[in-house]
Amino acid sequence: MTAPRCSRAPEGAAADMARHHAAQVPVLDGARLRLRAPRTEDLPAWTEILMGANLAHVGGPYDAEGAYEAFCTYAAGWLLHGHGLWSVERLSDGALLGFVHLGLEWDDVEPELGWMFLPQHRGQGYATEAASLARAHAATLLGDGHFVFYIAADNAHSAALAQRLGAHRDPRAEAAIGEPELEVWRHGGQP
């Protein structure tokens, strides 16, 4: 089956325009990773992650169309809010490892810093490095304390990562959203 047109890279003048807009997204380099603008060729990895069976905490699992819509939503954040989705690639070989975002979903009260990695790249410290790079950018862009990590109460791995990044639970923010299955972790003081 041929991939839907929306999942294929643009050509000609449209490709030039896409590259122009992508060049406006900050590139963040770490010791092993680069955070860069998402591209259509990243969509299969994004879809693989979102079609995973263990993603109930982010509304999944998704089908391919739902994954594409979520990809577009996060990528559009750069135009709408000045922050959005980064693709995370390994510097040594350019391999796509996963994604980190500073974004807003429909019902988010505050911008959220989040991460999702392909299964084969989990447990190697990549999420910690990528989230740390994004956190530093978010603190500069929005101010410390003005973004959160929304983490499902049963997602111990993400809660541990938030703690490694220096975040703390914010009971006031949790009470304001009123969803007992969702924890709010904040880096820095109250907004």
Side-chain angles (χ1 to χ4, degrees):
M1 180 175 154
T2 304
R5 175 62 188 98
C6 63
S7 68
R8 296 193 309 261
E11 298 174 356
D16 293 339
M17 183 61 73
R19 279 191 295 276
H20 169 76
H21 289 302
Q24 306 309 306
V25 173
V27 175
L28 308 178
D29 284 340
R32 302 181 297 160
L33 307 176
R34 170 169 291 138
L35 278 57
R36 59 156 174 82
R39 301 187 288 244
T40 53
E41 56 265 28
D42 301 336
L43 183 59
W46 173 269
T47 302
E48 178 183 339
I49 293 168
L50 288 190
M51 290 178 80
N54 64 345
L55 285 179
H57 60 276
V58 292
Y62 288 72
D63 62 11
E65 183 178 352
Y68 174 75
E69 290 171 359
F71 188 77
C72 291
T73 297
Y74 281 110
W78 291 109
L79 294 174
L80 300 174
H81 301 289
H83 49 76
L85 181 69
W86 283 282
S87 296
V88 180
E89 64 183 21
R90 192 167 36 216
L91 287 173
S92 64
D93 61 3
L96 181 65
L97 308 175
F99 303 88
V100 65
H101 68 88
L102 180 61
L104 284 164
E105 293 178 358
W106 179 256
D107 56 354
D108 285 349
V109 177
E110 301 178 74
E112 173 192 14
L113 185 105
W115 49 85
M116 294 186 293
F117 282 75
L118 290 160
Q120 65 270 29
H121 300 301
R122 295 176 190 157
Q124 300 170 53
Y126 294 133
T128 301
E129 184 176 342
S132 182
L133 290 167
R135 183 199 64 212
H137 179 79
T140 300
L141 183 69
L142 302 172
D144 232 3
H146 291 274
F147 59 94
V148 298
F149 311 113
Y150 291 119
I151 299 175
D154 63 352
N155 190 344
H157 291 294
S158 287
L161 174 50
Q163 285 181 303
R164 281 194 301 278
L165 294 173
H168 59 277
R169 293 271 302 272
D170 185 339
R172 217 169 23 167
E174 289 175 3
I177 61 173
E179 293 182 40
E181 69 282 353
L182 193 63
E183 297 174 351
V184 179
W185 291 76
R186 184 177 307 279
H187 189 275
Q190 293 296 326

